[in-house]
Amino acid sequence: SLSRLQTSWWGGVQMGPPDPILGVSEAFKKDSNPKKMNLGVGAYRDDQGKPFVLSCVRKAEALISAKQMDKEYLGITGLADFNKSCAKLALGADSEVLKSGRNITVQTISGTGSLRIGANFLSRFHGGPRDVYLPKPSWGNHTPIFKDAGMTLKAYRYYDPATCGFDHSGALEDISKIPEQSVIMLHACAHNPTGVDPRPEQWKEISDLVKKRNLLVFFDMAYQGFASGDIDKDAWAVRYFIEQGHNIVLSQSFAKNMGLYGERVGGFTVVCNDAEEAKRVESQLKILIRPIYSNPPMNGARIASTILNTPELYSVWLGEVHGMANRIIKMREQLEAGLKKEGSTRDWQHVIDQIGMFCFTGLKPEQVERLTKEFSVYMTKDGRISMAGVTSGNVGYLAAGIHAVTK
Amino acid sequence: SSWWGGVQMGPPDPILGVSEAFKKDSNPKKMNLGVGAYRDDQGKPFVLSCVRKAEALISAKQMDKEYLGITGLADFNKSCAKLALGADSEVLKSGRNITVQTISGTGSLRIGANFLSRFHGGPRDVYLPKPSWGNHTPIFKDAGMTLKAYRYYDPATCGFDHSGALEDISKIPEQSVIMLHACAHNPTGVDPRPEQWKEISDLVKKRNLLVFFDMAYQGFASGDIDKDAWAVRYFIEQGHNIVLSQSFAKNMGLYGERVGGFTVVCNDAEEAKRVESQLKILIRPIYSNPPMNGARIASTILNTPELYSVWLGEVHGMANRIIKMREQLEAGLKKEGSTRDWQHVIDQIGMFCFTGLKPEQVERLTKEFSVYMTKDGRISMAGVTSGNVGYLAAGIHAVTK
């Protein structure tokens, strides 16, 4: 028979708040309207609205399976061939950083894992202020990542709701006041959630100012290739900053651009002064990582490494990434055209100007609520829609709905 | 000029140092007994056939790669809990456990440590057995807990220091956390006997301690998954609401796929829901959601009857080979003419054997015989084969006679 010891260890544990994004998906599932659309999902869908596994991924899996490799532990920093090609993808094959070996790049548990390792590393080793400056708005998970790692969060202006575009002067004004040696987070491309990216000449001004303020730059690049369709173009800001002398830290994800979502593939890079420093930093990253998960998962890294290091697969991948980005761009164009066709007199230029998976529509919460209740179109309350959930089959319906709630 | 000028080179990893020195050694008779991974009788890594079969089944389905939820693959979590607690467990029937998929055993322990740090109302102290797995210490430290110890290993007997353990546990402040290795204690291979576990349970109950079980070797210790889970199940029956870490690295050979589980046994299903919600909030800013591949493999094996049978046989086979190597090593030492008592080589259980060798003896064994192990005299029986056990016996005898 059973006897309980004492009332409970966890009597004081409160029910945590429900996840905002999950709530969207759950409500979507319950909706019986055949025309329903889930525009909360942050994962690519094809033009039939289905998840898309890249053919280069399938091919890589077949190659890997044929080798019947063992499942021995990777080292703490992961698969070496992956780390090399991951860095090369971000920095460019001809990067002086790679030639001099002054980067340390470790395999991580996708983008989140990379950001958290970075946050923990900063918390332990950054001599400057504890403050991390995020763009306003930023990805929701950035905040708890840095908080739980012991950093404090601050913000700089970024999105201009008046233009649905980049608040360049506001950003520069705020950045000019950031205390020296603070950490500034920059989204490398396809800003999440707004889709608003600085133009190259604006990036240059940001770089100059950040240099003047002596800030430590943390780049989050979760969408390389997925934004413009061109992996070099999407990495331009990262490479420019490095050329300008910023010794950045960088998080990369292969969740979206290789469709490896649940395999959890990512990288964390610290650009150091020299190879000797990179060795010291590597040793401390290992000491930090080992008591979190010992060593990273092998499968996704093997797939990514196979693609990056097999020329024919690499070409296929570039084409598929280009294809995904193009479909998104096409949906943007069709949505904007559809809104015009509906007779909307509002300016929807931002639907085309914004880049990447998300579109910050500019819809107000009441309008979002109507769109959900009356049209079964599900999105987050901030008016953000995932263009990945839009297809040529439903873009007309979406345009009609958005027009109905905004006319 | 540099952000990282003040970053010191960290100390080299003790185990890695062993493997690196091993690699450089050109002696054809060299043995790497530091490795904490199973090897077959040819000294090669072993991928279980149930794993290969599961992989084929999964590959044929051509599944997508959509994110798992924060708590991972539901079918995996269910079967993971069932494996540990037993299919007829009252805990499972009442739904009063929450079990989440984790990044193998380390990831599970760290989630647990973070959860305790955030939600445990008692002292910050976590009591580890002396000695314990090296990584336990930084896991709990980095999560904000403090480490203490209770006596466990008796170097005089190379066995369990039962009275010492009870004496130390009797002094642990109420509501502190006590870490127990469920089976195949790492690094000593010394496990309490059932009647000793009963005394520990009674005392832990009296002291009102929060029990954290680390079960990294279920099935791998005795060869029998139910026998190896006995202590965990006994404690639960005795009313301890435990937290539990499981790993499938060794017993399914899934090492680099990173498959594990973390379980909190709660008062009731309502409490389990509250705990689950907080685990999700904790996990999301660490890695969002866990890797799918290994969990799919493990879940396929656990939930496909023929594969499950094959697995039980293969786990039994791995454990048996280890046991056989223990017997052959002990017999080999006798044959060499050693007059020392090597009974502990047979009595200890699981992958590791705490030989009782002193650091100087270890050093000689490495220098003169190219046998590599950690300085504490721990050898991985997995690195021993029928082909080299004689050589090992000769070496150990040479440095201890």
Side-chain angles (χ1 to χ4, degrees):
Chain A
S1 81
L2 180 66
S3 63
R4 295 295 157 71
L5 275 162
Q6 78 292 321
T7 17
S8 169
W9 296 114
W10 316 115
V13 174
Q14 304 295 317
M15 182 66 86
D19 185 277
I21 312 266
L22 202 72
V24 169
S25 283
E26 278 175 7
F28 170 81
K29 276 190 203 139
K30 294 185 183 144
D31 192 325
S32 52
N33 183 345
K35 287 179 167 276
K36 66 181 180 177
M37 292 175 68
N38 188 352
L39 302 185
V41 66
Y44 181 80
R45 295 284 176 267
D46 65 16
D47 204 48
Q48 277 70 51
K50 296 276 177 286
F52 174 55
V53 178
L54 281 64
S55 79
C56 63
V57 168
R58 290 296 186 214
K59 289 179 162 70
E61 288 184 307
L63 287 175
I64 290 163
S65 172
K67 289 189 191 162
Q68 294 279 283
M69 289 185 273
D70 65 38
K71 295 188 183 295
E72 294 299 291
Y73 292 124
L74 294 176
I76 300 172
T77 57
L79 190 61
D81 285 345
F82 168 77
N83 294 340
K84 253 182 105 177
S85 49
C86 176
K88 184 171 145 188
L89 179 68
L91 307 188
D94 54 350
S95 167
E96 159 275 323
V97 168
L98 298 179
K99 287 187 172 66
S100 52
R102 66 185 184 94
N103 65 300
I104 171 59
T105 300
V106 302
Q107 180 190 339
T108 57
I109 302 170
S110 209
T112 303
S114 175
L115 290 161
R116 182 56 176 267
I117 295 301
N120 280 130
F121 185 77
L122 291 176
S123 185
R124 187 172 280 183
F125 293 105
H126 179 50
R130 306 282 78 195
D131 299 315
V132 176
Y133 285 76
L134 301 180
K136 201 185 318 186
S138 195
W139 182 44
N141 208 19
H142 277 148
T143 295
I145 287 170
F146 285 101
K147 242 190 193 162
D148 286 6
M151 305 297 283
T152 43
L153 280 309
K154 292 204 155 65
Y156 58 94
R157 272 172 290 171
Y158 187 85
Y159 177 74
D160 186 348
T163 61
C164 294
F166 179 48
D167 183 358
H168 187 55
S169 54
L172 291 179
E173 207 182 308
D174 286 355
I175 293 172
S176 71
K177 296 178 185 150
I178 297 178
E180 292 212 13
Q181 301 201 15
S182 303
V183 180
I184 182 166
M185 164 74 61
L186 302 170
H187 294 219
C189 61
H191 180 271
N192 181 0
T194 68
V196 167
D197 288 347
R199 289 191 307 271
E201 59 270 23
Q202 295 173 321
W203 272 124
K204 289 179 179 181
E205 288 188 61
I206 295 167
S207 168
D208 286 346
L209 181 56
V210 164
K211 213 189 285 190
K212 211 159 95 178
R213 298 303 304 148
N214 192 22
L215 307 177
L216 170 46
V217 173
F218 198 144
F219 263 114
D220 184 356
M221 185 155 68
Y223 298 97
Q224 185 186 6
F226 204 93
S228 71
D230 180 324
I231 54 124
D232 293 309
K233 189 169 177 199
D234 288 352
W236 181 84
V238 168
R239 298 174 188 182
Y240 177 78
F241 269 63
I242 290 174
E243 280 162 27
Q244 289 293 303
H246 299 271
N247 279 359
I248 67 167
V249 300
L250 165 69
S251 285
Q252 290 169 261
S253 169
F254 290 84
K256 280 85 171 174
N257 62 10
M258 276 194 188
L260 290 175
Y261 305 96
E263 300 278 0
R264 319 309 290 126
V265 191
F268 177 67
T269 291
V270 182
V271 177
C272 301
N273 252 24
D274 50 47
E276 184 271 342
E277 181 162 280
K279 282 289 161 207
R280 285 185 280 113
V281 169
E282 179 185 26
S283 74
Q284 294 296 345
L285 282 170
K286 287 162 79 169
I287 288 169
L288 196 146
I289 289 171
R290 193 197 242 289
I292 304 179
Y293 53 82
S294 281
N295 46 80
M298 60 184 5
N299 199 59
R302 280 176 168 173
I303 295 171
S305 184
T306 301
I307 291 169
L308 294 173
N309 291 303
T310 311
E312 318 102 59
L313 291 190
Y314 188 74
S315 305
V316 173
W317 175 55
L318 290 183
E320 296 191 284
V321 151
H322 192 82
M324 288 192 288
N326 268 6
R327 194 185 88 67
I328 300 284
I329 288 166
K330 206 160 144 200
M331 289 303 100
R332 290 180 178 280
E333 290 165 357
Q334 289 189 16
L335 179 57
E336 195 265 351
L339 285 159
K340 273 206 178 93
K341 194 163 151 212
E342 287 287 327
S344 178
T345 52
R346 282 175 64 145
D347 180 4
W348 295 104
Q349 184 60 32
H350 56 281
V351 171
I352 298 182
D353 290 345
Q354 288 168 6
I355 193 169
M357 198 177 292
F358 300 112
C359 169
F360 234 39
T361 55
L363 290 177
K364 305 207 180 316
E366 322 81 68
Q367 294 166 327
V368 170
E369 208 181 321
R370 277 191 65 196
L371 199 45
T372 303
K373 281 202 159 76
E374 298 173 30
F375 293 87
S376 296
V377 173
Y378 291 81
M379 62 179 71
T380 45
K381 273 195 311 242
D382 56 6
R384 183 194 85 164
I385 57 176
S386 170
M387 294 308 301
V390 182
T391 69
S392 47
N394 64 24
V395 65
Y397 178 75
L398 177 61
I402 291 177
H403 174 58
V405 306
T406 57
K407 63 187 176 189
Chain B
S1 40
S2 168
W3 296 114
W4 316 116
V7 174
Q8 304 295 317
M9 182 65 86
D13 184 278
I15 312 267
L16 202 73
V18 170
S19 283
E20 278 174 6
F22 171 80
K23 275 189 205 140
K24 294 183 184 146
D25 194 324
S26 53
N27 184 345
K29 285 178 169 278
K30 66 181 181 179
M31 292 175 68
N32 188 353
L33 302 185
V35 65
Y38 181 81
R39 295 284 177 269
D40 64 17
D41 203 47
Q42 278 70 52
K44 297 275 176 286
F46 174 54
V47 179
L48 280 64
S49 80
C50 63
V51 168
R52 289 297 187 214
K53 288 178 162 71
E55 288 184 310
L57 287 175
I58 290 163
S59 171
K61 288 188 191 163
Q62 294 281 283
M63 287 184 275
D64 65 38
K65 295 188 183 295
E66 293 299 291
Y67 291 127
L68 294 175
I70 300 172
T71 57
L73 190 63
D75 285 346
F76 169 77
N77 293 341
K78 253 183 104 176
S79 50
C80 176
K82 184 171 145 189
L83 179 70
L85 307 188
D88 55 351
S89 166
E90 160 275 325
V91 168
L92 298 179
K93 286 186 171 68
S94 53
R96 65 184 184 95
N97 66 299
I98 170 60
T99 299
V100 302
Q101 180 191 336
T102 59
I103 301 168
S104 207
T106 303
S108 175
L109 290 160
R110 181 57 176 266
I111 295 301
N114 281 130
F115 185 77
L116 292 176
S117 186
R118 186 173 281 184
F119 291 106
H120 179 50
R124 306 283 77 196
D125 299 315
V126 177
Y127 284 76
L128 301 180
K130 200 184 323 183
S132 195
W133 181 45
N135 208 19
H136 277 147
T137 295
I139 287 171
F140 285 100
K141 241 191 193 162
D142 285 5
M145 305 298 282
T146 44
L147 279 310
K148 292 202 155 64
Y150 57 93
R151 272 173 289 170
Y152 187 87
Y153 177 73
D154 185 348
T157 61
C158 294
F160 179 48
D161 184 356
H162 188 54
S163 55
L166 291 179
E167 207 183 307
D168 286 353
I169 293 173
S170 72
K171 296 179 183 150
I172 296 179
E174 291 211 15
Q175 301 201 13
S176 302
V177 179
I178 182 167
M179 164 74 60
L180 301 171
H181 294 219
C183 61
H185 180 272
N186 181 359
T188 69
V190 167
D191 289 346
R193 287 190 309 271
E195 59 270 25
Q196 294 173 323
W197 272 124
K198 290 178 180 180
E199 288 189 62
I200 294 168
S201 168
D202 286 346
L203 180 56
V204 164
K205 214 190 283 192
K206 213 158 96 178
R207 299 302 306 147
N208 193 23
L209 307 179
L210 171 48
V211 173
F212 198 143
F213 263 114
D214 184 357
M215 185 155 69
Y217 298 98
Q218 187 187 5
F220 205 92
S222 70
D224 180 324
I225 53 125
D226 294 308
K227 190 168 178 200
D228 287 352
W230 181 84
V232 168
R233 298 174 189 181
Y234 177 78
F235 268 65
I236 289 173
E237 280 162 30
Q238 290 294 303
H240 299 271
N241 279 0
I242 68 167
V243 300
L244 166 68
S245 286
Q246 292 169 260
S247 169
F248 290 84
K250 281 86 173 174
N251 62 8
M252 277 193 188
L254 290 174
Y255 305 97
E257 300 276 0
R258 318 310 289 127
V259 191
F262 178 66
T263 292
V264 182
V265 177
C266 302
N267 249 25
D268 49 46
E270 184 271 342
E271 180 162 281
K273 282 290 162 205
R274 284 185 281 114
V275 168
E276 179 185 25
S277 73
Q278 295 296 346
L279 283 169
K280 286 161 80 168
I281 288 169
L282 194 149
I283 289 171
R284 194 196 242 287
I286 305 179
Y287 53 83
S288 281
N289 46 79
M292 61 184 4
N293 198 59
R296 281 175 167 173
I297 294 170
S299 184
T300 302
I301 292 169
L302 293 172
N303 292 303
T304 311
E306 319 101 61
L307 292 189
Y308 188 74
S309 304
V310 174
W311 176 56
L312 291 182
E314 295 190 286
V315 151
H316 192 82
M318 288 192 287
N320 267 6
R321 194 186 86 69
I322 300 285
I323 289 164
K324 208 161 142 197
M325 290 302 101
R326 291 181 178 279
E327 291 165 356
Q328 288 189 15
L329 179 57
E330 196 264 351
L333 286 159
K334 274 205 177 95
K335 195 164 151 211
E336 288 286 328
S338 178
T339 52
R340 281 176 63 146
D341 180 3
W342 295 104
Q343 184 60 30
H344 57 280
V345 171
I346 299 181
D347 289 346
Q348 289 167 6
I349 194 167
M351 199 176 291
F352 301 112
C353 170
F354 234 38
T355 55
L357 290 178
K358 306 207 179 315
E360 323 82 69
Q361 294 167 325
V362 171
E363 207 180 322
R364 278 191 63 198
L365 199 46
T366 303
K367 283 204 157 78
E368 297 174 30
F369 294 87
S370 295
V371 173
Y372 290 81
M373 63 179 69
T374 45
K375 273 197 309 242
D376 55 9
R378 182 195 86 165
I379 58 174
S380 171
M381 295 308 299
V384 182
T385 68
S386 48
N388 63 25
V389 64
Y391 178 76
L392 177 61
I396 291 177
H397 175 58
V399 306
T400 57
K401 64 185 177 191

